[in-house]
Amino acid sequence: MSWNEPGGDKKDPWSGRNDKNSPPDLDEVIRSLQDKLGGIFGGGSAGGSSEGPGFKSIGYLAAGALVLWSLSGFYIVDEGTRGVVTRFGAYVDTTTPGLNWHIPGPIESAEVINVEQQRFIEVGYRSGSTTAVGSVPKEAMMLTKDENIVDVRLAVQYQVKDAKDYAFNVLDPNSTLKQVTESVERGVIGASNMDFVLTEGRSEIVMAIKSEIQTVMDSYKAGILVTSVNLQDAQPPEQVQGAFEDAIRAREDKQRLINEAEAYSNDVVPKARGGASRIVQESEGYKVKVIAEANGDVSRFGQLLVEYKKAPAVTKERMYIESMETVLERSNNILVDVKGGNNIMYLPLDKLTNKASDEVISTPDHHEQAPVATPVAKQYSSDSRASSRERDVRGR
């Protein structure tokens, strides 16, 4: 039977609030809670005014919490670093070194990035604290242009160029840089021959790799600056290392022999050229000498011809005497015409001169020693004068 039907107890479902079995009233629950909070913070009873001391204490606490929350937004950016501020994950600003402030979280957050730190990656090997762990074949083995395989180990140093790009444009900058480096390295090595990679082409390859890495990272806007690329090692695989060393030694021997041959050539060729130049100059000098002598003989003959035409007999005798003097002055033998005799005395003057010279050298005081050939010389002189006088008399 419902409450509003005849014979009912005339009680609605919401009546009986004073009944002991009815649920508590909501207003009473709120007042009870206010009384308890007032007792904790020193406030009055629930029936007091809403402007009592309890609400003031809650205001002070809220203000203090707000101040602490605001202070948590201060942060320090050290020298050589930059702060990247984001608001709900979106970029807001890049802060410089010093004391900075941002709206505290969870509204804004700041990430401090070191832009001067030298970071590096290793491609083809892994290094420990002191010594190299070894090669990583998956990264190190590369194919060259002449279809040879080389083991290349590369180290790349870089630093952050733009903190915003570094933080937002690439998910994992370090991994991206490593993949780009390996790709660029394979391209450069694949365009070069094995001998070029292992010998004189190291510096050129390093410069090409560095330039291409920087170009690719700039196209990604990764905010990375590649500072250096170091070619740690480049060698053939271990399986052919012995044969390759033999080839290197043979190449070095070839180069050594070439250098020795060039040194010998540089020593012999200038001497030969100098000798040839000397011979040419001597021949030129001899040519000039012969021409001059011939011209002199021609001139002398012309002068003699003029004198001969003037006095043939006198010129003929004078030419005869000059010729005999020229012939006899080269001989050590002297012929003496003895007066009044038909025989010509022969004096071995060369032997007498040699004997006299030996005696002079063997004598201690050779300045006082008289020459042995002196009497003969005097006799020759007197006989010569006598013969000359006789010829003059006959001539007259």
Side-chain angles (χ1 to χ4, degrees):
M1 179 184 297
S2 60
W3 63 275
N4 56 357
E5 292 181 359
D9 53 4
K10 307 294 182 180
K11 293 183 180 180
D12 57 53
W14 295 276
S15 62
R17 291 180 180 177
N18 294 325
D19 192 359
K20 295 182 180 180
N21 296 325
S22 62
D25 189 7
L26 182 59
D27 294 335
E28 294 179 358
V29 173
I30 293 175
R31 283 194 295 270
S32 175
L33 180 60
Q34 288 179 352
D35 293 339
K36 292 180 179 180
L37 290 176
I40 294 173
F41 296 104
S45 62
S49 174
S50 59
E51 298 297 332
F55 285 95
K56 292 183 180 180
S57 299
I58 294 175
Y60 293 151
L61 289 176
L66 181 61
V67 170
L68 294 176
W69 179 73
S70 300
L71 292 177
S72 66
F74 286 98
Y75 64 99
I76 297 176
V77 178
D78 295 330
E79 187 68 27
T81 60
R82 296 293 184 272
V84 178
V85 181
T86 58
R87 182 177 299 159
F88 298 113
Y91 172 77
V92 175
D93 189 18
T94 299
T95 55
T96 56
L99 181 62
N100 297 274
W101 182 85
H102 67 84
I103 300 175
I107 300 175
E108 289 185 353
S109 62
E111 179 183 2
V112 178
I113 299 176
N114 193 332
V115 297
E116 293 185 357
Q117 178 184 0
Q118 290 292 333
R119 300 172 171 85
F120 74 97
I121 60 172
E122 299 169 339
V123 179
Y125 76 103
R126 298 294 181 270
S127 62
S129 58
T130 56
T131 59
V133 174
S135 175
V136 180
K138 183 179 178 181
E139 300 176 359
M141 295 300 178
M142 300 188 181
L143 189 65
T144 61
K145 182 179 180 181
D146 51 358
E147 298 182 355
N148 289 313
I149 297 177
V150 292
D151 187 340
V152 181
R153 305 175 185 182
L154 203 68
V156 178
Q157 289 186 346
Y158 69 96
Q159 63 185 33
V160 177
K161 180 172 62 174
D162 190 303
K164 173 189 173 183
D165 294 342
Y166 183 80
F168 288 97
N169 291 342
V170 180
L171 180 62
D172 188 353
N174 190 73
S175 178
T176 302
L177 178 61
K178 185 174 181 180
Q179 294 175 6
V180 170
T181 300
E182 185 176 352
S183 176
V184 170
E185 183 182 6
R186 291 187 183 278
V188 174
I189 298 297
S192 306
N193 293 326
M194 181 177 183
D195 291 339
F196 183 76
V197 174
L198 300 179
T199 54
E200 73 273 8
R202 289 175 174 248
S203 59
E204 184 175 344
I205 287 174
V206 166
M207 294 300 296
I209 292 175
K210 179 181 177 181
S211 177
E212 291 193 25
I213 291 174
Q214 188 64 61
T215 302
V216 175
M217 297 307 292
D218 289 344
S219 66
Y220 291 166
K221 295 183 179 179
I224 288 177
L225 175 64
V226 178
T227 57
S228 67
V229 176
N230 299 319
L231 187 61
Q232 300 293 336
D233 194 9
Q235 60 184 3
E238 296 180 359
Q239 294 80 356
V240 296
Q241 188 70 33
F244 184 77
E245 291 178 355
D246 293 339
I248 290 178
R249 285 193 291 268
R251 188 184 298 111
E252 292 176 350
D253 292 340
K254 173 185 175 182
Q255 189 62 38
R256 178 178 55 81
L257 294 175
I258 291 175
N259 294 337
E260 291 178 357
E262 290 179 353
Y264 178 75
S265 174
N266 295 333
D267 181 45
V268 173
V269 171
K271 291 182 180 178
R273 290 176 179 172
S277 177
R278 178 176 55 81
I279 293 174
V280 171
Q281 292 177 0
E282 289 179 353
S283 62
E284 292 290 337
Y286 178 75
K287 172 184 176 182
V288 173
K289 175 184 175 183
V290 170
I291 293 174
E293 290 179 352
N295 292 332
D297 292 340
V298 170
S299 176
R300 183 170 58 83
F301 182 79
Q303 295 174 3
L304 287 175
L305 180 60
V306 174
E307 297 297 330
Y308 182 80
K309 289 179 179 180
K310 293 179 180 179
V314 176
T315 304
K316 186 184 297 184
E317 184 177 2
R318 184 169 65 82
M319 291 176 64
Y320 173 77
I321 294 172
E322 290 177 354
S323 299
M324 292 302 296
E325 286 180 352
T326 303
V327 172
L328 294 177
E329 71 181 357
R330 302 175 184 176
S331 175
N332 293 327
N333 298 328
I334 298 178
L335 299 179
V336 180
D337 186 8
V338 181
K339 181 180 179 182
N342 296 327
N343 297 327
I344 296 176
M345 183 177 65
Y346 165 73
L347 296 177
L349 190 60
D350 55 344
K351 296 182 179 180
L352 294 176
T353 303
N354 293 337
K355 184 177 180 181
S357 300
D358 294 340
E359 291 179 355
V360 170
I361 293 172
S362 62
T363 304
D365 191 6
H366 59 275
H367 295 287
E368 298 179 0
Q369 183 70 23
V372 177
T374 300
V376 179
K378 290 181 178 180
Q379 182 179 358
Y380 169 73
S381 300
S382 60
D383 292 342
S384 299
R385 286 194 295 270
S387 299
S388 299
R389 285 193 298 271
E390 289 178 1
R391 285 195 298 268
D392 293 338
V393 171
R394 293 192 193 98
R396 295 191 186 97

